[in-house]
Amino acid sequence: MTIQTEWRDYDVVVVGSGGAGSAAAHAAAESGARVLVVSKDPIGCSDTKISEGVITVLGSGEEDDSEQELSDNLRMGGGSLPVEAITDTFASDSQSAYDWARSHGLRPSINQDSGKPKSFGMALGGHTKRRAVGHKNSGVAFGHANWSAVVQGNRIDYQEDAWFLDLVTEEVEGDGNGDGEEPGKRVVGGLFYDAARGLIVAVRSPAVIIAAGGISTLYFPKTYTMRGNTGDSYAVAARAGADLVDMEQVQFLPFCLATPPAYEGLLAGEPTTASYLGVLRDKNGKVILDGIFLRTRAECSSAIMRAVEDGRGSPNGGAYLDLTANEKLPLSGPYFMRALKMSLPSAYRNAREALGKAAAKCEEPWEVRPAAHYMMGGIRADRDGASVGGAGDGDAAHGIAGLFSAGQAMGGVFGANRLGSTALSENVVFGIRSGQAAAAVSRSRSRKKDDSLFSEQLGRIAARFGQVGSHRATTLKLELQKEAWDCIGPVRTAERLGRMEDVVEGLSRKLDDIAIPGQAVWNQAFMEYEELRNMIIAAQAVTAAARERDASVGGHVRLDGPTLSPFSEPYSTVVSGVANGEWRTRRVARSRIPLGRLLVYLIQDRWRKTQIKIIRMLPESLRDKVILNRYLASPGGKVRKISPGSAEGAVAEAAKS
């Protein structure tokens, strides 16, 4: 049968309905645009919904926090790869972004003393201040707020069970066309598959916001995200000719479960879970990393995988997170256990159910292994999410006009490492900004209907229905996922990158030999084909960027190269050109944090880690009192919920005296 095409017109199209997509759609609509949201999943059912519900809010924990310090934290944690204008924007907008989420139904716990939302009792890894705010019902609360923003918004239509296939663009000659644009490409719309109705929908629109999540399904089952993260954001943008930045920087959460199979990849904790005395051990019991709660996710993942590569890994390819020293202390132990259970409740529940009672009581170490979580690279953009780069190659250079991104789709925010609790803030900060900017583009652009621009892509899509072949996309996906973990997972080498290049080249040749039935409605084989096609392009982008970066930094660990120091000259990798059939890779210089601020940061970081080493060396009774007083000195922290009238409270009062 021949699949039918339906035509629609909108001012702004938003691809994805998670935290970033919902904020973008709402902001665009509030700016007067008529908006269409296209989503594979039900509205609001995204990585946001399965998150721990912890968000970075400037000033929520400490009065002396500042925008400059938060921006510096992001850049230092990210190896100086993040774009300064973007991190400054994150820092300046985090409070208003949180207010936006609260206006759509998010309800934090309030500190009765300060009147502010309650922040965590300690700074999450990479942060120098306490600014992480948790929420009852975790990400479900954020998912509901996102749902409300879309479903209750004015001028917003939404299409669920819809696979966005490609952007449609046209070449612009320059000022001579009458709308004052620079020469290059501009968006004229996009195409998506409406699975429930069995239609290809062609949408005419001068602005498209890509907010379709990350890449982690490329590494399944060693993942901690929704299965829809098949690299769609990057593949769609790359096929249109957009620049992608820092694509080698995939974040792997270090403390995920390695066993049993039903729990594989699920989160068991963050660096802060280790508290003051937690350490990582190899299979021989040797400490491979201490001071964990002050480390970034990248540092912890790297330590685990380097031990595995050295032959010192645990039975299931990980290491042991040993929390027993925290629990054994008679005074502070109960406070540690209370914090462990309450700060990341779903993570603790995963560990308890998977590892048993003794592990849940922290009487024995937990076997953990990194799992793919977040893409820190993405579409190269400015602080409004607008596509930049292209022929000009600068961060202010003209990219694809009318193309925007937000959330995991957007690069330049986190660079080499994303600090804990920043994703939910990023979603809203850059969702709102991209929505407003896209609406402004739609108001300024002249409209002309030239449906011939869609013809070639519509023809290619229609030809896939009824395609005869000897392969199945689902089988090829499994092959790609296994090779991706081995070759472009937490550790890489030149040899493995070469192997990955061979794998994706072979899979690309098989795309025309995949069997797809001719049915139009709910053609699962077609959907699997499109996701495989996107995953292949995403894998190519990661591999090309990883080849360009021949030293370790952040989430990119090269076993066959050096590790860059904080004083190295930073650069980002940029890949593009797949629209022309081959990848172009290059380096773009980044500005390092001024030497004075860099030295202060490094000295403070060293001092914090030295303090923990000193605490570990103290006699047990003194160590116990010092740690207890640290718990008690955390205003607004959840660890203070031990009742003063309880036995635990009596012990705490005795310790203070």
Side-chain angles (χ1 to χ4, degrees):
M1 65 176 292
T2 302
I3 191 164
Q4 301 298 308
T5 301
E6 177 179 276
W7 293 86
R8 299 191 197 176
D9 291 277
Y10 285 91
D11 298 320
V12 175
V13 175
V14 178
V15 185
S17 66
S22 299
H26 186 268
E30 289 293 294
S31 298
R34 185 163 176 253
V35 180
L36 174 66
V37 177
V38 180
S39 177
K40 290 197 291 191
D41 298 314
I43 300 298
C45 294
S46 63
D47 281 354
T48 302
K49 193 170 185 177
I50 64 168
S51 74
E52 287 294 331
V54 184
I55 185 171
T56 291
V57 184
L58 180 71
S60 61
E62 299 177 49
E63 293 292 341
D64 62 346
D65 201 358
S66 69
E67 292 181 11
Q68 184 67 69
E69 188 160 3
L70 174 52
S71 180
D72 283 356
N73 283 183
L74 293 171
R75 293 179 66 206
M76 272 300 304
S80 292
L81 273 60
V83 178
E84 185 175 6
I86 293 178
T87 60
D88 286 350
T89 298
F90 179 103
S92 66
D93 289 8
S94 72
Q95 291 167 309
S96 60
Y98 188 55
D99 291 341
W100 180 91
R102 292 178 68 178
S103 73
H104 291 286
L106 187 67
R107 295 291 179 265
S109 297
I110 301 297
N111 186 319
Q112 297 304 312
D113 295 329
S114 67
K116 296 180 179 180
K118 287 185 178 180
S119 65
F120 272 29
M122 61 176 67
L124 298 191
H127 290 275
T128 55
K129 300 290 184 183
R130 291 181 294 105
R131 48 176 79 105
V133 178
H135 298 81
K136 187 178 181 180
N137 297 324
S138 303
V140 173
F142 283 85
H144 182 73
N146 297 333
W147 179 91
S148 297
V150 173
V151 174
Q152 298 177 3
N154 295 319
R155 294 183 294 277
I156 301 176
D157 294 335
Y158 55 91
Q159 187 75 55
E160 299 168 315
D161 301 322
W163 274 250
F164 192 87
L165 305 175
D166 269 313
L167 290 165
V168 180
T169 63
E170 69 173 346
E171 292 291 335
V172 179
E173 294 181 358
D175 292 343
N177 65 8
D179 23 35
E181 292 189 87
E182 297 181 42
K185 284 187 177 181
R186 71 175 181 185
V187 168
V188 295
L191 300 164
F192 69 87
Y193 171 54
D194 180 349
R197 295 192 300 149
L199 296 173
I200 300 299
V201 181
V203 189
R204 308 179 191 94
S205 176
V208 175
I209 302 170
I210 305 293
I215 201 173
S216 296
T217 297
L218 183 62
Y219 301 98
F220 183 83
K222 300 173 180 68
T223 61
Y224 181 63
T225 64
M226 298 286 278
R227 72 157 299 282
N229 284 277
T230 51
D232 304 342
S233 297
Y234 322 112
V236 165
R239 283 196 294 267
D243 278 1
L244 305 179
V245 64
D246 296 325
M247 287 297 290
E248 79 282 3
Q249 297 294 346
V250 181
Q251 184 169 70
F252 295 86
L253 283 179
F255 305 146
C256 293
L257 296 169
T259 189
Y263 286 80
E264 187 175 4
L266 294 184
L267 182 68
E270 286 275 21
T272 51
T273 298
S275 195
Y276 299 102
L277 302 178
V279 297
L280 275 170
R281 298 184 186 275
D282 64 15
K283 69 178 183 182
N284 302 315
K286 180 181 177 181
V287 174
I288 59 176
L289 193 67
D290 61 11
I292 293 173
F293 81 100
L294 295 174
R295 310 280 185 172
T296 65
R297 292 164 169 174
E299 288 179 283
C300 296
S301 291
S302 175
I304 293 171
M305 295 311 298
R306 286 183 185 275
V308 171
E309 292 294 320
D310 222 14
R312 296 182 288 116
S314 62
N316 293 287
Y320 294 100
L321 177 60
D322 187 352
L323 309 176
T324 57
N326 292 298
E327 185 274 334
K328 288 177 181 177
L329 296 177
L331 301 180
S332 61
Y335 282 78
F336 162 73
M337 290 303 299
R338 183 63 62 93
L340 181 65
K341 295 173 183 178
M342 297 183 67
S343 59
L344 297 174
S346 63
Y348 176 75
R349 185 169 59 248
N350 291 339
R352 183 186 64 202
E353 293 174 355
L355 303 178
K357 290 184 178 179
K361 295 178 181 178
C362 295
E363 295 173 350
E364 63 183 33
W366 302 357
E367 185 182 10
V368 295
R369 182 183 63 206
H373 177 58
Y374 203 92
M375 168 50 81
M376 296 171 295
I379 300 169
R380 196 173 174 198
D382 64 16
R383 63 180 187 170
D384 291 326
S387 167
V388 299
D393 211 27
D395 287 323
H398 178 66
I400 298 178
L403 174 60
F404 297 84
S405 59
Q408 286 191 72
M410 177 181 170
V413 187
F414 299 122
N417 183 64
R418 183 177 69 80
L419 304 188
S421 77
T422 52
L424 295 178
S425 302
E426 175 210 19
N427 283 342
V428 181
V429 168
F430 298 106
I432 290 173
R433 295 184 75 92
S434 64
Q436 292 171 340
V441 165
S442 72
R443 289 194 299 270
S444 66
R445 279 269 300 272
S446 60
R447 308 296 176 89
K448 56 178 181 179
K449 290 187 178 181
D450 185 358
D451 294 346
S452 66
L453 295 168
F454 292 73
S455 300
E456 183 179 348
Q457 287 159 282
L458 281 171
R460 281 201 301 267
I461 293 166
R464 293 295 177 190
F465 289 82
Q467 176 174 291
V468 177
S470 57
H471 297 284
R472 292 193 306 165
T474 50
T475 303
L476 299 181
K477 263 189 184 181
L478 294 175
E479 179 183 340
L480 177 59
Q481 287 164 332
K482 179 185 181 303
E483 294 294 339
W485 176 261
D486 292 341
C487 298
I488 53 172
V491 289
R492 291 105 183 237
T493 65
E495 183 274 329
R496 294 180 189 184
L497 295 177
R499 197 169 95 212
M500 194 70 215
E501 288 165 347
D502 291 340
V503 168
V504 293
E505 182 180 346
L507 292 174
S508 296
R509 288 197 298 266
K510 294 176 182 177
L511 287 173
D512 291 334
D513 192 25
I514 292 175
I516 303 175
Q519 71 197 56
V521 176
W522 279 107
N523 192 322
Q524 188 67 41
F526 175 73
M527 292 182 276
E528 295 283 357
Y529 167 87
E530 285 296 327
E531 290 186 343
L532 172 63
R533 183 168 76 119
N534 290 344
M535 288 168 67
I536 288 172
I537 289 181
Q540 288 174 327
V542 172
T543 306
R547 270 219 183 273
E548 185 65 33
R549 189 177 295 283
D550 52 7
S552 297
V553 61
H556 171 68
V557 178
R558 283 290 295 264
L559 296 176
D560 55 355
T563 298
L564 296 178
S565 82
F567 300 101
S568 301
E569 291 299 324
Y571 65 88
S572 283
T573 61
V574 175
V575 297
S576 62
V578 70
N580 301 321
E582 60 181 33
W583 289 96
R584 175 188 172 213
T585 63
R586 65 255 194 221
R587 300 180 180 186
V588 175
R590 294 291 186 220
S591 60
R592 194 174 54 208
I593 292 176
L595 185 59
R597 297 210 305 266
L598 175 61
L599 288 173
V600 168
Y601 179 94
L602 293 174
I603 291 169
Q604 290 176 340
D605 183 61
R606 176 54 58 189
W607 172 233
R608 284 191 294 271
K609 291 171 181 173
T610 300
Q611 285 179 299
I612 298 305
K613 288 184 181 295
I614 293 171
I615 289 173
R616 289 173 59 83
M617 295 168 61
L618 294 173
E620 183 175 299
S621 60
L622 181 56
R623 182 194 317 150
D624 196 6
K625 287 186 177 182
V626 170
I627 292 175
L628 175 62
N629 285 324
R630 283 190 168 224
Y631 281 127
L632 295 175
S634 300
K638 293 182 178 181
V639 294
R640 299 193 72 184
K641 289 192 175 181
I642 292 178
S643 170
S646 67
E648 294 165 341
V651 169
E653 290 303 313
K656 286 193 290 184
S657 64

